Amino acid sequence: MTHPQMRSALLLVTAACSLGQTPFRPPATPLIAHDPYFSIWSMSDTLAGSPTRHWTGTPRTLTSYIRIDGKTYRLMGADPDRTPANLTTAPLPQTDLRVLPTRTIYQFEGAGLRVTLTFLTPALPNDLDILSRPVTYLVWNVASTDGRTHAASLYCDALADLAIDTPDQPLDWSRLKLNGADVLRAGSRQQPILEKSGDNLRIDWGYLYLTAPAADGATNVIASRATAQASFVQTGRLPESDSLERDHPPGFRIPALAWSFDLGQIGATPVARHLLIAYDDVFSIEYMNRRLRPYWRAPRIGVQELLESALRDYPALAQRSAAFDEELMADLTRAGGEEYARLCALAYRQTIAAHKLTRDVDGTPLLFSKENFSNGSIDTVDVTYPSSPFFLLFNPRLLEAQLRPVLDYAASGRWPFPYAPHDLGTYPLANGQTYGGRETSEENQMPVEESGNMLIMVAALAHIENSTAFAERYWPLLAKWAKYLLANGYDPENQLCTDDFAGHLAHNTNLSLKAILAIGAFGKLAEKAGRNEEAGPYLAAAAGFAQRWVGGAADGDHYRLAFDKPGTWSMKYNLVWDALLGLHLFPPDVARKEIEFYKTRQNRYGLPLDNRAEYTKLDWLVWTASLASAPEDFTTLFSPAYRFANESPTRVPLTDWYMTSDARQRGFQARSVVGGIFIRMLTDPALWNKWAKR
């Protein structure tokens, strides 16, 4: 390893250790998290406690061993059930786990060595070329702890099922040379690019790549996992030959892409190695019947350039990522406390990995979300809305990249209704709405919900960018939706809102809040654009509606779930935009009264969504807590959510819908909406501007 690479590896460890955190046990830990297909997690307390899995729960396994003085120990993955006794490996004791925004860092110690294994994904939001790279670095840092030297070697493999949806699909594999570095590749034989859509699916097109810098003592092989692992466990070396036959040994169908590093004698001076795992999906999304490339695939940029750049840039990216994590964790802690910072760090890569960043034909970035385990929809407006604080904070251009496809679709003539659409299709096919009544019926549409969401998000962009340029491109459409809300938003009819799992509800006061704030936001947007004749009536209407709401929703010491339902209550999470956008339509006493009431209705794991059930939504809980002006009130409402993440018995990537009584998942997982918990950062204008202006 070169000196810059050594310094980068040491920086990864030093920056993590300097945080001095007490233990946090995530329900699932991100290892490789790039997009809805390239997303691998550990779903147990220890990295060697169970096989690694795709976010859907399907095994997509990575394994790693270390051999110390002739004995092999497991770092990652679990021994298969039928492993022969002479090949069984004991895990090296895991002593620490830290999840940071761009890195997951495990520490192990035993047999005289300390091993730090870091999963580095340089998800730097202000650098779209780097953010979109589908590359994660696995970095091992090994040092002696007992004053003696020890012979050590490392092993890591990735099973090629990362490139198929189901195990019956045939695979092809090969090896390549790249400027002296070996590259191992695997992909499905049929390559059915963008041929299916749905929710519980893994990718079955494109190619998985493993590579590492050329170095003494590094070897690799493509073979059956059993053969590769047995050779390393028994001898510390990989087999001499790749598997040349697809069906040999009998039953062999899915190879492992395996790497080994002979570290020699390890003393007190740390020795580091790193390996790259990458995935090239070739085409990512179909939007209005045209196929879109991943954003990183700029003209004349292919997988060769991707891997060359990733190998070359590792030292710089390691340093940039460590600095990013340190600064962001410090600001998150200032905004909401240490528990808040930890939960945001866990949500960071999950938020990004529920999206795919693509490049339109003219180079414009287009970002598409997937409704993971809710219904598989693509670019759902009421999923973009709760995740929008993440993008408004880190790079408003990325929120534009999510809204643009919806706005273009709604303006195209395909969408026949006077309100905003719900979605663009079913992931990864964004060819038109597939939810509810689709493009032909008003059944199960969300007219007030989606129109309010779009107007608030466009206004939020203008607010932080101090420009109405994006809004003015779509002004007739925005004006149409504002007009619809003016006529239908204050007292919504019996319809769905974003919490559609709770069913239809008429006279929904929280949905009314959204409409009122959206009307006011449109008025302020018009004022900012110099359209004063248009602004006046909307600002006046919003102010009048707000005054009417305060009286109509009042229920003693709180405000009702529905205007016509006394004795009910609900989170009024939409109210948070009143202060964030500087609208100030509602008296401050509304938020204060609600906060005081919420503190009397909490369960062990948080505030329920409303009086009808004990479940809650993580995103809305933090929005609601962010209504609090006093830090101690925010902490009171937020801490049970952190307790949920730390104690939930449901081991899945962070769910946003769970039971407040026992912390069990009610539904959903690995969704982008957890990006909504970053909204607390927006309540501090200095912090919001600091990050967004980058």
Side-chain angles (χ1 to χ4, degrees):
M1 171 169 282
T2 64
H3 291 301
Q5 291 170 329
M6 178 75 76
R7 285 197 300 272
S8 300
L10 291 174
L11 182 60
L12 290 172
V13 178
T14 304
C17 293
S18 67
L19 294 174
Q21 294 181 330
T22 55
F24 171 45
R25 187 235 63 176
T29 303
L31 307 178
I32 296 173
H34 290 275
D35 61 45
Y37 290 132
F38 195 31
S39 182
I40 311 299
W41 297 69
S42 171
M43 300 185 184
S44 57
D45 287 356
T46 63
L47 188 57
S50 67
T52 60
R53 298 178 183 274
H54 188 259
W55 70 260
T56 57
T58 302
R60 288 295 180 265
T61 50
L62 309 171
T63 56
S64 181
Y65 299 119
I66 184 166
R67 189 172 173 86
I68 306 172
D69 297 330
K71 185 175 180 180
T72 304
Y73 302 86
R74 228 172 340 111
L75 301 176
M76 173 168 56
D79 279 336
D81 294 338
R82 299 178 182 177
T83 302
N86 64 328
L87 297 181
T88 299
T89 55
L92 197 68
Q94 181 178 310
T95 57
D96 195 21
L97 165 62
R98 291 186 175 90
V99 179
L100 300 171
T102 68
R103 295 170 294 155
T104 295
I105 305 170
Y106 288 93
Q107 190 164 283
F108 310 85
E109 192 165 329
L113 292 182
R114 180 182 297 114
V115 182
T116 304
L117 173 52
T118 299
F119 295 83
L120 166 64
T121 300
L124 302 171
N126 61 342
D127 188 335
L128 299 191
D129 291 319
I130 298 300
L131 178 68
S132 65
R133 281 185 187 174
V135 178
T136 288
Y137 300 89
L138 276 65
V139 185
W140 293 263
N141 189 285
V142 186
S144 174
T145 59
D146 61 4
R148 294 183 290 179
T149 60
H150 300 272
S153 55
L154 294 165
Y155 171 95
C156 184
D157 71 38
L159 202 61
D161 62 0
L162 270 70
I164 51 177
D165 179 31
T166 57
D168 59 320
Q169 293 179 282
L171 282 151
D172 284 328
W173 54 90
S174 59
R175 62 168 53 246
L176 310 156
K177 279 289 187 183
L178 183 68
N179 298 327
D182 290 336
V183 179
L184 308 184
R185 181 176 79 166
S188 69
R189 192 173 306 166
Q190 294 176 331
Q191 290 295 305
I193 297 175
L194 295 168
E195 289 187 8
K196 65 183 71 169
S197 62
D199 200 354
N200 192 3
L201 296 174
R202 277 70 40 196
I203 198 167
D204 57 5
W205 72 89
Y207 298 93
L208 171 70
Y209 292 88
L210 266 69
T211 188
D216 292 340
T219 59
N220 51 75
V221 72
I222 304 176
S224 77
R225 171 170 273 170
T227 301
Q229 292 183 353
S231 178
F232 184 82
V233 169
Q234 292 175 327
T235 70
R237 297 187 299 274
L238 296 180
E240 294 292 333
S241 301
D242 292 331
S243 293
L244 304 180
E245 303 287 344
R246 291 195 178 96
D247 300 312
H248 180 76
F252 167 59
R253 293 178 50 81
I254 302 174
L257 281 56
W259 227 275
S260 175
F261 303 96
D262 186 346
L263 305 182
Q265 294 293 318
I266 302 294
T269 301
V271 174
R273 296 289 186 271
H274 65 273
L275 175 70
L276 283 66
I277 299 183
Y279 203 98
D280 173 23
D281 59 7
V282 186
F283 287 97
S284 305
I285 298 291
E286 186 172 287
Y287 173 57
M288 296 299 118
N289 302 112
R290 66 180 188 266
R291 290 181 169 183
L292 303 182
R293 298 274 193 185
Y295 187 83
W296 64 266
R297 268 188 173 268
R300 295 180 295 280
I301 300 294
V303 71
Q304 178 176 338
E305 290 77 15
L306 170 73
L307 297 178
E308 286 176 339
S309 299
L311 285 166
R312 180 189 65 240
D313 295 346
Y314 167 71
L317 291 176
Q319 292 179 326
R320 288 174 63 187
S321 297
F324 177 86
D325 287 350
E326 184 176 5
E327 183 180 9
L328 179 55
M329 292 299 285
D331 282 351
L332 289 167
T333 302
R334 278 193 288 272
E338 186 178 14
E339 291 181 349
Y340 177 69
R342 291 181 186 177
L343 199 60
C344 284
L346 180 61
Y348 184 89
R349 274 171 284 160
Q350 175 173 318
T351 302
I352 293 169
H355 297 82
K356 186 66 181 185
L357 183 58
T358 66
R359 183 181 295 271
D360 208 350
V361 291
D362 62 354
T364 301
L366 298 178
L367 183 64
F368 296 89
S369 65
K370 179 179 183 293
E371 277 203 61
N372 291 339
F373 273 11
S374 43
N375 70 356
S377 290
I378 187 170
D379 220 15
T380 302
V381 173
D382 61 286
V383 166
T384 301
Y385 175 67
S387 69
S388 64
F390 181 94
F391 301 101
L392 287 165
L393 176 66
F394 291 115
N395 190 340
R397 187 184 179 199
L398 288 171
L399 182 56
E400 289 185 9
Q402 291 182 79
L403 299 183
R404 183 177 282 109
V406 176
L407 290 161
D408 287 341
Y409 167 62
S412 69
R414 287 270 305 273
W415 183 249
F417 304 113
Y419 45 78
H422 170 273
D423 64 82
L424 293 181
T426 303
Y427 194 92
L429 306 181
N431 294 324
Q433 180 169 312
T434 53
Y435 183 87
R438 300 176 177 253
E439 299 174 347
T440 58
S441 164
E442 295 202 58
E443 181 182 2
N444 290 334
Q445 302 283 4
M446 298 185 187
V448 173
E449 173 70 38
E450 308 302 21
S451 300
N453 291 339
M454 290 298 293
L455 290 172
I456 289 171
M457 288 188 287
V458 172
L461 281 170
H463 177 79
I464 192 58
E465 294 176 340
N466 196 29
S467 169
T468 60
F470 181 75
E472 292 189 74
R473 289 184 55 185
Y474 300 100
W475 198 265
L477 195 61
L478 300 176
K480 180 169 68 173
W481 294 340
K483 183 179 179 181
Y484 179 87
L485 291 181
L486 200 61
N488 302 280
Y490 171 74
D491 189 10
E493 297 177 346
N494 190 39
Q495 60 187 255
L496 295 171
C497 71
T498 182
D499 306 315
D500 54 357
F501 48 81
H504 290 68
L505 179 66
H507 318 300
N508 184 334
T509 59
N510 189 44
L511 190 56
S512 174
L513 274 175
K514 178 173 291 181
I516 294 167
L517 293 167
I519 291 166
F522 179 75
K524 191 162 187 177
L525 193 61
E527 187 176 65
K528 193 176 185 69
R531 300 171 179 262
N532 294 324
E533 290 185 3
E534 204 168 356
Y538 282 96
L539 290 171
F545 283 150
Q547 185 176 13
R548 184 177 163 193
W549 187 97
V550 172
D555 201 56
D557 60 351
H558 67 281
Y559 296 89
R560 298 174 181 177
L561 164 69
F563 287 119
D564 62 339
K565 294 186 182 298
T568 62
W569 60 272
S570 64
M571 288 186 190
K572 304 302 189 296
Y573 53 81
N574 288 313
L575 184 60
V576 72
W577 294 104
D578 194 33
L580 292 181
L581 299 183
L583 300 174
H584 305 302
L585 294 169
F586 291 84
D589 188 59
V590 172
R592 283 197 294 266
K593 185 184 289 188
E594 286 289 278
I595 291 295
E596 289 305 310
F597 179 80
Y598 296 148
K599 290 191 292 186
T600 70
R601 290 297 185 272
Q602 291 198 102
N603 292 327
R604 175 170 174 79
Y605 296 106
L607 176 70
L609 185 63
D610 56 48
N611 61 272
R612 294 174 292 179
E614 287 194 334
Y615 55 64
T616 195
K617 288 284 272 79
L618 178 63
D619 44 354
W620 301 146
L621 191 156
V622 181
W623 286 35
T624 300
S626 295
L627 293 171
S629 55
E632 58 270 23
D633 285 341
F634 173 81
T635 300
T636 296
L637 291 170
F638 173 79
S639 286
Y642 175 81
R643 186 182 301 124
F644 143 73
N646 203 31
E647 298 179 6
S648 175
T650 312
R651 306 308 296 270
V652 299
L654 199 57
T655 179
D656 54 285
W657 185 23
Y658 67 90
M659 303 304 293
T660 59
S661 53
D662 60 11
R664 292 185 182 276
Q665 176 190 29
R666 181 65 179 84
F668 312 154
Q669 64 196 51
R671 299 208 309 165
S672 63
V673 302
V674 299
I677 71 174
F678 284 85
I679 201 163
R680 184 67 179 177
M681 293 278 277
L682 307 191
T683 64
D684 184 328
L687 279 179
W688 187 3
N689 275 280
K690 169 189 170 181
W691 287 94
K693 297 305 182 187
R694 295 184 178 185

